[in-house]
């Protein structure tokens, strides 16, 4: 289904993805592999389009969250290795094997399940062993008295029929936080990770092909953690302080247009709950962008959208499909005028800070009814509307 209406849209600058990829490659060096994290539809940017580009650029691996996300890439003819970071129900093991998809193994119970299923269908499931070194989420626990149990469990998993342990990985909890305590925590996670690997490799007399742990924060700050492969998400999309420091480019620009303009008298309540009252004659622009498009209601009365005459303050509560901005004294802003929600003029990092959240949440929140407009070599190459039909 193609979008025809010019109303609200997300511009996805694939040239910026290429640029960021090359810059990150320069930083990590030729000997370190690159895994692009494209889970959650590539943080809202479109996993198929981003993966296609990374494949063409020569990236080594992709990571997604679920089997469905991985299969979506295969159906769209992405041939690169794909790692599923999250849980896959055992009923799907055959499909993973048939589609050459790599699965994370996060504990003994899953290792056994996956092994049994792989044997049942006479196949080999490629797996990466996941360690919980301090994130306290998925993975073999290995800290505080669990070291030996972890080493034994991982060795067992590596020896199970039907499983091929190609890699081993862990995830940092505070690599993007700048205080000393966080740095010490990350260092501890990393040392634990390498100690477990060393013990397992000694026991098995075999090396893992791909050891990886560096997310965005670690890619930016801890080169010693790169090992065989890095695993950035946010950095690739060009958001956050580390991207800014590296001179990377934000990939998404959210834009909308003014659909209606009204002039209200002083003392008029604007929107649900009447949370904003005009203090003078006020020119209000109604914009077709609401919380159903991904505009968190927490922004109500708190941020500005960027017009050609500068920032225009949000007035009243954000509705499901609309919001209202103050364009008093901005005569050049008219019906049909373009308004930037976030992008080069209105930084997504500053927007996220206003809502007390992180840029990840804002791009992931962009809903399926917002058409994605893809730009490559400076021109529009694709318009995608994610509604059925
Ligand atoms: C999401 C995720 C990443 C990427 O994190 P960023 O902070 O976006 O770089 C890396 N590894 C795992 C396991 C993840 O879940």
């Amino acid at each position: 289904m193609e979008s025809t209406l010019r109303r609200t849209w997300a511009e996805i600058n694939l040239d910026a993805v290429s640029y960021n990829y090359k810059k990150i490659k320069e930083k990590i060096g030729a000997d370190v592999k690159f895994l692009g994290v494209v889970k959650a539809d590539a943080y809202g940017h479109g996993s198929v389009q981003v993966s296609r580009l990374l494949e063409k650029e020569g990236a080594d691996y992709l990571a997604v969250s679920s089997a469905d996300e991985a299969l979506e890439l295969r159906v769209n003819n992405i041939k690169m290795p794909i790692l599923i970071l999250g849980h896959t129900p055992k009923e799907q093991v055959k499909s993973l094997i048939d589609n050459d998809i790599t699965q994370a193994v996060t504990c003994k119970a899953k290792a056994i399940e996956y092994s049994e299923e792989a044997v049942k269908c006479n196949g080999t499931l490629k797996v990466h062993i996941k360690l919980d070194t301090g994130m306290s989420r998925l993975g073999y626990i290995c800290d505080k008295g669990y070291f030996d149990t972890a080493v034994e469990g991982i060795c067992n998993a590596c020896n199970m029929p039907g499983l091929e342990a190609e890699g081993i990985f862990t995830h940092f909890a505070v690599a993007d936080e700048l205080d000393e305590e966080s740095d010490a925590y990350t260092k501890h996670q990393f040392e634990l990770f390498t100690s477990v690997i060393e013990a397992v490799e000694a026991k098995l007399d075999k090396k893992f092909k791909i050891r990886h742990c560096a997310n965005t924060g670690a890619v930016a700050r801890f080169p010693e953690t790169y090992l065989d492969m890095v695993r950035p998400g946010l950095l690739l999309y060009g958001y956050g302080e580390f991207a800014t420091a590296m001179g990377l480019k934000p990939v998404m620009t959210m834009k909308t247009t003014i659909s209606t303009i009204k002039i209200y008298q002083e003392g008029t309540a604007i929107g649900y709950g009447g949370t904003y009252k005009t203090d003078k004659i006020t020119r209000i622009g109604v914009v077709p962008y609401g919380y159903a498009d991904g505009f968190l209601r927490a922004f109500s009365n708190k941020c500005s959208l960027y017009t050609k005459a500068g920032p225009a303050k949000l007035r009243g509560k954000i509705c499901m499909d609309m919001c209202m901005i103050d364009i008093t004294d901005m005569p050049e802003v008219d019906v049909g005028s373009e308004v930037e929600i976030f992008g080069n003029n209105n930084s997504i990092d500053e927007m996220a800070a206003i809502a007390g959240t992180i840029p990840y949440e804002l791009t992931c929140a962009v809903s399926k009814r917002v058409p994605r407009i893809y730009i490559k070599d400076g021109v529009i190459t694709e318009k995608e509307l994610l509604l059925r039909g």
Side-chain angles (χ1 to χ4, degrees):
M1 195 163 154
E2 186 161 294
S3 171
T4 50
L5 290 177
R6 190 171 171 283
R7 210 177 91 115
T8 294
W9 67 98
E11 281 176 16
I12 311 294
N13 184 353
L14 293 173
D15 299 326
V17 178
S18 294
Y19 181 86
N20 297 344
Y21 169 76
K22 290 189 180 104
K23 280 281 179 191
I24 300 169
K25 281 291 284 182
E26 255 169 49
K27 185 170 172 62
I28 63 175
D31 297 336
V32 177
K33 291 183 197 303
F34 185 104
L35 174 151
V37 178
V38 295
K39 66 192 180 197
D41 202 21
Y43 295 33
H45 297 76
S47 60
V48 171
Q49 288 84 353
V50 170
S51 299
R52 245 180 228 147
L53 191 78
L54 289 176
E55 187 162 57
K56 199 164 139 262
E57 292 287 355
D60 302 280
Y61 235 106
L62 298 168
V64 295
S65 174
S66 66
D68 290 351
E69 288 183 349
L71 291 169
E72 182 186 23
L73 296 179
R74 284 287 180 258
V75 163
N76 281 281
N77 217 19
I78 304 291
K79 305 263 195 270
M80 305 168 59
I82 302 173
L83 169 65
I84 298 175
L85 299 165
H87 171 60
T88 299
K90 63 177 199 265
E91 291 74 11
Q92 301 241 40
V93 165
K94 185 172 183 328
S95 158
L96 297 190
I97 294 171
D98 291 346
N99 288 283
D100 194 18
I101 293 165
T102 311
Q103 173 60 44
V105 166
T106 57
C107 64
K108 182 179 169 185
K110 309 267 189 231
I112 293 170
E113 255 179 31
Y114 292 151
S115 164
E116 285 173 359
E117 289 297 320
V119 168
K120 245 192 246 170
C121 57
N122 266 325
T124 304
L125 179 66
K126 212 180 281 171
V127 298
H128 285 203
I129 305 289
K130 173 80 184 279
L131 295 193
D132 180 356
T133 55
M135 176 70 181
S136 309
R137 198 175 60 180
L138 292 181
Y140 286 83
I141 309 183
C142 44
D143 207 0
K144 296 192 172 43
Y146 288 104
F147 189 92
D148 294 337
T149 326
V151 170
E152 195 194 329
I154 294 164
C155 287
N156 287 344
C158 293
N159 285 326
M160 282 181 197
L163 301 187
E164 179 199 335
E166 174 193 52
I168 185 161
F169 72 113
T170 193
H171 193 41
F172 293 130
V174 290
D176 57 348
E177 297 192 21
L178 301 177
D179 57 290
E180 266 174 44
E181 202 181 315
S182 299
D183 287 1
Y185 197 90
T186 303
K187 189 162 184 272
H188 175 70
Q189 280 197 267
F190 184 63
E191 284 171 359
L192 194 53
F193 181 50
T194 50
S195 316
V196 172
I197 293 175
E198 207 175 297
V200 171
E201 290 185 339
K203 237 178 142 174
L204 294 175
D205 194 24
K206 218 166 91 184
K207 300 258 183 230
F208 288 100
K209 249 196 279 174
I210 315 179
R211 302 159 301 158
H212 52 109
C213 56
N215 57 359
T216 287
V219 170
R221 304 182 57 226
F222 304 112
E224 66 275 20
T225 66
Y226 293 172
L227 299 175
D228 303 308
M229 182 163 79
V230 297
R231 216 172 57 226
L234 196 73
L235 203 60
L236 181 63
Y237 305 109
Y239 314 120
E241 58 186 317
F242 305 124
T244 308
M246 282 176 66
L248 304 185
K249 299 178 178 173
V251 172
M252 187 188 291
T253 303
M254 273 297 298
K255 286 185 178 170
T256 186
T257 47
I258 307 250
S259 45
T260 296
I261 293 177
K262 314 279 277 295
I263 313 278
Y264 290 107
Q265 294 301 317
E266 183 186 333
T268 306
I270 308 288
Y272 286 122
T275 56
Y276 180 81
K277 232 179 216 142
T278 56
D279 56 4
K280 57 177 184 303
I281 292 185
T282 300
R283 189 166 174 256
I284 290 284
V286 181
V287 163
Y289 184 59
Y291 61 78
D293 301 290
F295 200 13
L296 310 187
R297 235 168 132 261
F299 282 115
S300 296
N301 286 312
K302 283 207 185 129
C303 70
S304 296
L305 304 187
Y306 204 90
T307 70
K308 60 182 157 188
K313 288 203 165 73
L314 214 57
R315 299 300 193 200
K317 290 277 184 206
I318 293 167
C319 311
M320 185 181 289
D321 310 309
M322 287 169 247
C323 63
M324 289 73 93
I325 57 175
D326 193 332
I327 48 171
T328 312
D329 305 323
M330 296 183 177
E332 65 269 59
V333 178
D334 206 344
V335 169
S337 290
E338 219 171 272
V339 176
E340 183 182 296
I341 296 148
F342 54 76
N344 285 327
N345 298 302
N346 220 17
S347 128
I348 192 171
D349 298 328
E350 282 166 31
M351 287 285 281
I354 290 171
T357 185
I358 48 177
Y360 303 73
E361 195 183 8
L362 299 189
T363 62
C364 284
V366 175
S367 77
K368 63 179 186 171
R369 85 167 173 200
V370 175
R372 270 61 166 181
I373 310 290
Y374 290 90
I375 297 171
K376 195 151 185 294
D377 303 324
V379 297
I380 293 177
T381 51
E382 189 180 343
K383 295 183 193 176
E384 190 180 40
L385 186 56
L386 303 173
L387 302 179
R388 293 181 195 97

